[in-house]
Amino acid sequence: MAGIFIGAFLVNVTTAGNVATAFAIATGNTLEALVGAWLVNRFAGGTNVFDRLQGVFKFALAAGISAIISPAFGVTSRGSRRLCRLGKLWRDLADMWLGDVTGDLSSLP
């Protein structure tokens, strides 16, 4: 998980140029991965998640739930630093959530 945090922090600190925003986004990325892994292990069968169709649906549900964490951190931190327009925060949140869910679901075998 340290790799997720370090990678996200380095990418965001070099593009956004703000340490506080990069830290918040990296924290959200890391928490999303931790929560997603916990949900899959706890409710979807862990490493056997793709053995049954029910596990695949549970994986998709876990992806949808955990994918809200990173966008919430990212949009909130960017909005508080005035890096995005306040009027489009909900759209940014939905766009980021959809991107994260799509990334999660693209890992299906």
Side-chain angles (χ1 to χ4, degrees):
M1 293 300 162
I4 294 171
F5 182 86
I6 292 168
F9 179 80
L10 291 175
V11 164
N12 286 289
V13 79
T14 57
T15 57
N18 184 304
V19 174
T21 301
F23 184 83
I25 292 171
T27 301
N29 292 156
T30 305
L31 286 175
E32 179 179 326
L34 287 170
V35 169
W38 180 80
L39 287 171
V40 168
N41 283 324
R42 176 72 171 94
F43 297 108
T47 58
N48 300 321
V49 66
F50 301 121
D51 289 351
R52 297 177 50 208
L53 186 59
Q54 182 180 16
V56 174
F57 287 114
K58 287 181 179 180
F59 177 87
L61 182 61
I65 292 169
S66 66
I68 194 65
I69 296 169
S70 180
F73 273 75
V75 169
T76 302
S77 65
R78 287 181 20 219
S80 67
R81 304 292 290 174
R82 305 276 191 243
L83 297 175
C84 64
R85 292 185 329 198
L86 293 177
K88 57 179 243 175
L89 286 178
W90 285 109
R91 192 177 109 202
D92 287 351
L93 182 69
D95 288 347
M96 291 174 72
W97 176 82
L98 186 59
D100 286 359
V101 169
T102 303
D104 290 347
L105 296 180
S106 70
S107 68
L108 290 172

